[in-house]
Every structure is written in C-alpha cells, then in structure tokens.
Amino acid sequence: MEVTASSRHYVDRLFDPDPQKVLQGVIDMKNAVIGNNKQKANLIVLGAVPRLLYLLQQESSSTELKTECAVVLGSLAMGTENNVKSLLDCHIIPALLQGLLSPDLKFIEACLRCLRTVFTSPVTPEELLYTDATVIPHLMALLSRSRYTQEYICQIFSHCCKGPDHQTILFNHGAVQNIAHLLTSLSYKVRMQALKCFSVLAFENPQVSMTLVNVLVDGELLPQIFVKMLQRDKPIEMQLTSAKCLTYMCRAGAIRTDDNCIVLKTLPCLVRMCSKERLLEERVEGAETLAYLIEPDVELQRIASITDHLIAMLADYFKYPSSVSAITDIKRLDHDLKHAHELRQAAFKLYASLGANDEDIRKKIIETENMMDRIVTGLSESSVKVRLAAVRCLHSLSRSVQQLRTSFQDHAVWKPLMKVLQNAPDEILVVASSMLCNLLLEFSPSKEPILESGAVELLCGLTQSENPALRVNGIWALMNMAFQAEQKIKADILRSLSTEQLFRLLSDSDLNVLMKTLGLLRNLLSTRPHIDKIMSTHGKQIMQAVTLILEGEHNIEVKEQTLCILANIADGTTAKELIMTNDDILQKIKYYMGHSHVKLQLAAMFCISNLIWNEEEGSQERQDKLRDMGIVDILHKLSQSPDSNLCDKAKTALQQYLA
C-alpha cells in the first residue's frame, strides 16, 4: 500500500501550479523509477504517462523540464513489455518524433534515447517509424549532430528495417552515404550500430549490396573495412556482424563466392564462432550465418567441412543442457535450456547446408556420433523451428542414393517422417513431403513400408492443397511411387486419387504440377498388362485428357510428355484400339510428326512405331489405315531428315511396312 501512496504523491506533484516544483517532481520521479519495475508499473497505472507527454509537448515548458520528462519516459519504457504497450497506447512515438524538431541537442538526445528503447521492444510495430514521410530524412540530418544521435539513430534503423520496402526507403534517403563514415567513428558503440545497419540493409538486397561494394570511406573500400572488423582481436559482436555484412553481400551477388574475403576471412571467422569457447548465443548466430553463406555453393561447402573439424564441432551443439548434476547454478540451467532449442536448430541448418551437394560430406555427417538418432529425435521435438530444421537436414541427406539404402534404412527414418506429415504447418509439410519423394524412389528400401503405412491417401490429400508447392510434392511422390510399381499399387493410386482429381491436376495453373501429373500418368501406363488394365477402366477419360492437352496452349515439354503417354498407350495390346478408333488423336499424331520441333516429332514417331509393329495381331489393318492417312509419305520425308535420330526411327518404321 505504501508504494501506491508514495506513487500517487509523485504523480500529484506533476500537477503543481509552480513550474519549479513540477521540475523537481519529475527529477525525483526519475530517481525513484530507476531499476524499480514495481514503481514503474504503479506510476503508469496512476496516469503519469499522459501528464509527462503533456508537459513534454507544452510550449510553455522549459527545455530542462521537457528533457527530464523524456528521460523518465525512457526509463518507464525500459521496464516490461506491458509498460511499452501502455506508452504506445498514449501515442508516445508521434510526441517524441515531434520533439526531434527542437533546436536543443540535449532534448533531442533524450527523445532519441527513449525512441530507441521503445522501437527495440518486440511489441512496437516497425511501421510507426515510416508513417510520417518526413521522419526518415530528418533522422538522416540529425546523424551529424553528436555521437549519441549517431548511436541511437543507427540502432533505431537496424531494428526497424524489416524487409525490402524498408530497405528501399532508407536506401533512397541516403542511408549508405550517411552511415558509411560512422564505421570509422572513435566511439565503439557508434561503429557497432553502423555495422548492424549495414547488415540489415544488405540482407537479400542486390541493389544495396552492389552499392556497398564500391563505397569508399577514408580511401578504403567498405568490404576491406568489414574484413578488418572481423579480425580475431576485435570484439566478438563486431566480428560476427561484419561477417554477416560480407555474407549478405555475397549471397546478394555483390561479392563472388571464390573471393578471398569470403574464402579466407568470412568463412573461417564464422567457423570460429561455432567453437566451444564461444557463448551459446554466439555459436547459434555463427552457425546460422555460415549455413546461409554456404547454402548455394558446393565449393564453400567443401571448404567449410574441412575447416577446424567443423562437422565434429557441431555435434557438441546437441549436448545442452549439460547433465543436471554438473549444473549447480540454476541460472545457468535456465540459460542452457533456453538456448538448447536454438543450438539444435542451428546445427541442423548448418548440417543441411554442408550436405546439400557432396556425397562425402553427407557420409561424414551421418557417421558423426549418433547423428541419425539425433535428427530422428529432432523430428518429434515440441519446437516447430527445431522440427523444421531437422526435416531440412534429413531432406538434404536424403539426396544421397547411398544413404537412402543404408543409414535411412537402418534408422527407419520413414516412421517419424510419416508422423511429421500427419498434422504439420505448411512450411514443414513442404520439406517433409519433398523428402518423402526421395524415400519413394525405386531404389530406396523404405518404399514398401511407407506404402503400407497409408502414404497413398496422405499424398493424394496433399495434391488437393491450396499451396502449389504441396501439390507438386504430393504428385511427385506419387509419380515416384508408381515408377516400376506392381499393378496393385497403381490401382491403389488411381482409386485414392480419383479420376476427377487427376483431371483437376492436369488443368492446374502451376506448370510443375502439370508436368509431374503427366509423369505420374506415364508411370502408371507402363508395362503392357498394366496399360491394358488401366485403359480398360479409365481409357475414355485418359484419352479426353490427352486430347485437351494436345489442343491447349502448352510448352514443348508438356506436349512431349503427353505424346510419350500416347506412345505408352499404343504399346498396349487392347489399349491400341483406343487410339486407332479415335481419328481426332490420329490426326494430332500426324500433325506432330511434321512439327518444327524435333522432340515432338520423335515422340509422335514412337506412337506410330508402336501402332504398326509387325509381330502384333492386327498390325496389317493398322498399317493400312495409317497408310491411307498419308503416314507413309511422312515417314519417307523424315527418313531424309538431317537429325540422325529421327532419320533412323523413320527408316525402322518403314521396314515394318516392307516386312
């Protein structure tokens, strides 16, 4: 109760008619709230904030009073997230931004310090910095006023720059030119905040990155300054942030992946950050940045994999929290627990990048102590982020035929994977279903058990997703499943998918979905007994679909796949008749034999060869009908083709007529 009584006394003094007493009241309040969250909360509840903001904006308030008000508000913002919410509800940001127009530097610095505290809170929407278009240019102008304005403004920028729109606004208002010279400031804090600004400006932004490469500061190019800042004698935070700047510039295409500043400086620096000597949060950031740097480049993956025993070093990321007996310090346990998730996520991400292309690296990763068990455990973790990283890691390793046949089999990876696919968020589903495609390749021993565990229904379900990536993966996995499969599996797929859904997929707006669906059809319609069986039950609909695609506005690849499906149908014993009795389709085959594109001519030739093959029943009637259509004349013409492949196929076909 005393707290509230004394708190009320502080607030009452803000309403005193004597300005001197008001000022003293604000100063006393400032001293009372420092480091006292309870007191801060009480003052907010009692309505101190609107009064402080009123005094801050009042024309008649002295500059000293305004400055002290800004300091107290900044102190209140240092408290809990709820405090910041209360300040935002009272419209503190427009009031402070207005304060920046004052001529008084001390007041401006106090407003900036408070703005910095409010903007760095997770509850503050970054957009509030960009609502008024005059704010950013004004902040740029204030950068030259003092080392404090430099530090706070850079910190505000680096926190509020989220995504390409914000990057463009800051870039267009001269952020690069205005901040570059701060990298040589005498104040470490200013240098550090300027560096952070560049890392957020360059991230996935080619325009900014290409500009940064050519910026000179005191006769030195920016990348060279960044390289100096990641030397071992610099503070870790500075090394990490400059490594990020160089990494982002490299990923945005402004620095080559084989440039010395990447291979000899940035990459080794990031590997150093993964070592046991570093703090847990530094190891997380180091591993995640390194994973991003090497992700698209096989040469960097190879270099990283043999730098400082990195693969073994990452195994240590799974050993947190350390065994409880060793931790007597409760705070330490809490810290370890908090970071354990992040460490595992970072290790999985880096393993995924390391193993993206190279077989030997994948083998090394899998042979690291208990790695497969760790990844499999990761698939069922409570944290979505860890699950996603574990699935990505497995997906990367599943690109290896060797591993699919061995480690993946030994650890029955498909079991937890099928569980992950049951009810996961889309981002996990996309990677997990993509990995399932690999596990369903014909040489993978996991194929059988996956089929038995209800995969067909699950994948058919994915083909109905709103998300095109999931539709592609669902149909791709079914295509892999149908490859050289037995009749029963093919029948299961057709039954579960339904012809309606098959046709929906054949008219999908996403080209990948269409191509994979055609691939599925082609795999279903292979080997004679299967072709005849499927065409006897679904022939009419399949012929309709083929006609539609050949008539539609599709690219060469789509039409080629479709003609290959026709060639498969023409290879059936009874299925042939569905083509021979369909004059429309025969005319289309004839048309494609004379097409300007060799791929399509070849595919149409396959259809004809399968229809006229001598040893088969009814070949004479088929040959006659096709001769009457003028096919033989076309074959003669094609046997003169400059394309040797086409010429050979035409000659072989003509021999069927002579035999």
Side-chain angles (χ1 to χ4, degrees):
M1 199 56 224
E2 309 87 344
V3 182
T4 315
S6 70
S7 305
R8 175 155 327 272
H9 173 62
Y10 284 120
V11 177
D12 290 343
R13 289 170 66 192
L14 301 180
F15 291 88
D16 196 291
D18 177 354
Q20 232 10 68
K21 286 188 178 164
V22 174
L23 175 61
Q24 199 46 54
V26 176
I27 292 170
D28 291 347
M29 186 185 274
K30 171 178 75 175
N31 296 328
V33 295
I34 288 173
N36 185 339
N37 272 350
K38 183 103 196 266
Q39 184 70 281
K40 289 177 189 179
N42 281 325
L43 290 172
I44 288 173
V45 168
L46 292 168
V49 178
R51 183 63 184 168
L52 287 165
L53 284 170
Y54 172 78
L55 295 169
L56 179 111
Q57 296 176 88
Q58 210 35 26
E59 289 287 317
S60 57
S61 298
S62 68
T63 306
E64 190 182 359
L65 174 60
K66 289 179 175 180
T67 307
E68 291 295 348
C69 287
V71 172
V72 176
L73 288 163
S75 197
L76 295 177
M78 285 277 194
T80 62
E81 290 184 359
N82 277 335
N83 292 8
V84 179
K85 282 183 186 159
S86 308
L87 294 172
L88 291 171
D89 291 341
C90 296
H91 305 295
I92 185 170
I93 289 181
L96 291 168
L97 290 172
Q98 195 58 35
L100 298 179
L101 300 171
S102 152
D104 186 87
L105 183 58
K106 281 278 159 279
F107 177 48
I108 289 175
E109 288 173 351
C111 288
L112 282 172
R113 192 180 308 116
C114 185
L115 279 166
R116 182 267 320 259
T117 308
V118 173
F119 272 121
T120 51
S121 162
V123 298
T124 309
E126 297 83 25
E127 282 309 322
L128 293 173
L129 184 65
Y130 304 94
T131 329
D132 175 348
T134 62
V135 170
I136 301 291
H138 186 59
L139 288 172
M140 292 292 176
L142 289 175
L143 272 172
S144 56
R145 294 293 295 274
S146 75
R147 49 171 276 207
Y148 294 111
T149 65
Q150 293 168 348
E151 179 193 333
Y152 304 144
I153 291 171
C154 284
Q155 202 171 350
I156 291 169
F157 284 163
S158 61
H159 264 275
C160 296
C161 182
K162 300 270 194 282
D165 294 349
H166 295 166
Q167 289 171 328
T168 304
I169 294 170
L170 292 171
F171 179 78
N172 289 343
H173 282 102
V176 174
Q177 294 71 17
N178 283 306
I179 298 170
H181 66 96
L182 303 181
L183 290 171
T184 55
S185 161
L186 294 173
S187 152
Y188 171 74
K189 284 182 172 173
V190 172
R191 292 201 301 279
M192 205 44 242
Q193 293 305 336
L195 196 54
K196 284 187 173 161
C197 264
F198 282 126
S199 78
V200 297
L201 283 169
F203 182 62
E204 298 197 335
N205 194 315
Q207 184 192 25
V208 174
S209 296
M210 295 292 188
T211 308
L212 292 182
V213 180
N214 301 313
V215 170
L216 279 169
V217 180
D218 295 348
E220 222 177 348
L221 286 168
L222 264 193
Q224 287 157 340
I225 294 176
F226 293 152
V227 166
K228 277 189 179 163
M229 289 178 148
L230 51 73
Q231 285 165 349
R232 289 165 189 262
D233 58 344
K234 297 288 186 287
I236 295 299
E237 176 189 32
M238 183 171 268
Q239 290 186 45
L240 248 175
T241 313
S242 32
K244 274 185 171 175
C245 290
L246 290 160
T247 293
Y248 298 162
M249 288 163 72
C250 177
R251 283 296 309 262
I255 300 177
R256 291 168 50 115
T257 51
D258 58 2
D259 189 299
N260 280 348
C261 76
I262 298 297
V263 179
L264 303 179
K265 302 289 183 186
T266 309
L267 186 146
C269 168
L270 289 169
V271 174
R272 280 204 305 279
M273 296 302 149
C274 299
S275 76
K276 262 189 171 141
E277 284 68 70
R278 301 272 51 88
L279 295 172
L280 300 187
E281 38 273 67
E282 291 162 359
R283 294 170 76 181
V284 167
E285 211 172 326
E288 296 213 331
T289 308
L290 183 55
Y292 182 66
L293 172 65
I294 67 176
E295 189 184 13
D297 189 272
V298 64
E299 213 28 63
L300 289 179
Q301 290 156 14
R302 288 187 184 130
I303 296 166
S305 73
I306 53 169
T307 305
D308 294 351
H309 306 290
L310 176 64
I311 291 178
M313 202 184 330
L314 286 178
D316 195 63
Y317 278 45
F318 296 92
K319 297 182 180 157
Y320 293 89
S322 332
S323 61
V324 178
S325 57
I327 299 185
T328 42
D329 176 357
I330 272 298
K331 265 203 164 128
R332 162 87 195 283
L333 175 63
D334 193 48
H335 175 260
D336 279 12
L337 277 169
K338 181 172 165 286
H339 288 288
H341 283 312
E342 294 174 3
L343 281 161
R344 288 199 291 278
Q345 182 190 342
F348 284 144
K349 277 186 182 170
L350 185 42
Y351 278 140
S353 277
L354 283 163
N357 297 294
D358 187 290
E359 273 293 337
D360 296 335
I361 299 177
R362 289 184 197 130
K363 194 165 177 303
K364 257 194 197 162
I365 292 172
I366 287 172
E367 285 166 2
T368 305
E369 45 179 326
N370 312 331
M371 195 40 67
M372 286 306 274
D373 294 331
R374 288 196 173 123
I375 302 175
V376 167
T377 311
L379 292 179
S380 52
E381 282 217 25
S382 56
S383 151
V384 173
K385 286 182 168 169
V386 178
R387 282 210 308 275
L388 178 60
V391 173
R392 285 213 168 112
C393 181
L394 259 185
H395 178 239
S396 179
L397 300 172
S398 76
R399 295 191 181 119
S400 153
V401 175
Q402 183 56 39
Q403 299 309 334
L404 284 176
R405 285 189 167 149
T406 51
S407 315
F408 277 64
Q409 196 50 21
D410 302 342
H411 291 83
V413 167
W414 62 271
K415 278 186 188 157
L417 185 70
M418 289 297 287
K419 217 169 123 193
V420 168
L421 283 161
Q422 298 306 329
N423 48 3
D426 268 16
E427 51 178 349
I428 289 185
L429 270 181
V430 169
V431 189
S433 55
S434 186
M435 186 184 148
L436 195 58
C437 293
N438 293 344
L439 289 180
L440 286 166
L441 292 164
E442 36 75 60
F443 49 73
S444 159
S446 312
K447 189 168 178 173
E448 290 304 313
I450 292 176
L451 287 173
E452 285 153 23
S453 68
V456 177
E457 288 76 14
L458 190 142
L459 294 168
C460 290
L462 288 183
T463 67
Q464 300 184 22
S465 164
E466 291 291 302
N467 181 334
L470 286 176
R471 292 202 301 278
V472 169
N473 287 350
I475 200 76
W476 193 339
L478 288 168
M479 176 185 105
N480 285 350
M481 195 186 273
F483 182 70
Q484 295 183 355
E486 53 203 60
Q487 174 62 39
K488 183 190 168 305
I489 294 175
K490 293 182 176 179
D492 276 355
I493 292 175
L494 267 173
R495 193 179 51 250
S496 285
L497 192 60
S498 84
T499 9
E500 295 78 54
Q501 178 59 7
L502 190 64
F503 293 122
R504 227 172 276 133
L505 293 166
L506 286 172
S507 53
D508 200 287
S509 56
D510 188 293
L511 178 64
N512 285 327
V513 174
L514 172 57
M515 281 299 284
K516 294 291 176 262
T517 310
L518 291 170
L520 168 65
L521 252 181
R522 193 173 169 181
N523 286 349
L524 290 171
L525 294 167
S526 63
T527 71
R528 270 193 192 161
H530 297 182
I531 296 170
D532 290 334
K533 179 95 184 65
I534 290 172
M535 292 307 287
S536 70
T537 49
H538 298 84
K540 193 168 161 233
Q541 295 108 312
I542 290 175
M543 294 305 284
Q544 248 172 335
V546 167
T547 310
L548 274 173
I549 292 176
L550 290 177
E551 282 174 358
E553 292 290 320
H554 292 291
N555 67 20
I556 302 288
E557 280 67 31
V558 170
K559 302 222 163 167
E560 183 191 16
Q561 273 285 2
T562 310
L563 287 167
C564 289
I565 291 169
L566 265 183
N568 283 10
I569 296 170
D571 194 34
T573 308
T574 54
K576 281 183 171 52
E577 285 314 303
L578 285 161
I579 298 180
M580 290 309 300
T581 53
N582 186 329
D583 287 342
D584 186 21
I585 285 280
L586 287 172
Q587 286 301 331
K588 286 189 169 50
I589 296 173
K590 178 182 172 182
Y591 164 76
Y592 284 107
M593 284 177 78
H595 198 275
S596 57
H597 209 286
V598 174
K599 273 184 173 177
L600 296 182
Q601 288 180 287
L602 273 170
M605 281 287 308
F606 277 119
C607 299
I608 294 298
S609 302
N610 284 343
L611 291 172
I612 62 178
W613 207 252
N614 259 330
E615 282 100 78
E616 288 160 20
E617 202 185 324
S619 60
Q620 194 55 56
E621 290 82 359
R622 289 194 293 275
Q623 286 185 6
D624 294 345
K625 177 165 185 178
L626 292 170
R627 175 184 279 128
D628 296 344
M629 277 179 61
I631 294 291
V632 176
D633 302 338
I634 300 177
L635 287 174
H636 278 296
K637 208 153 89 201
L638 292 178
S639 66
Q640 310 296 312
S641 164
D643 185 284
S644 60
N645 213 344
L646 200 53
C647 163
D648 292 347
K649 294 279 180 297
K651 285 176 178 162
T652 312
L654 283 170
Q655 278 163 357
Q656 297 301 311
Y657 272 96
L658 302 171

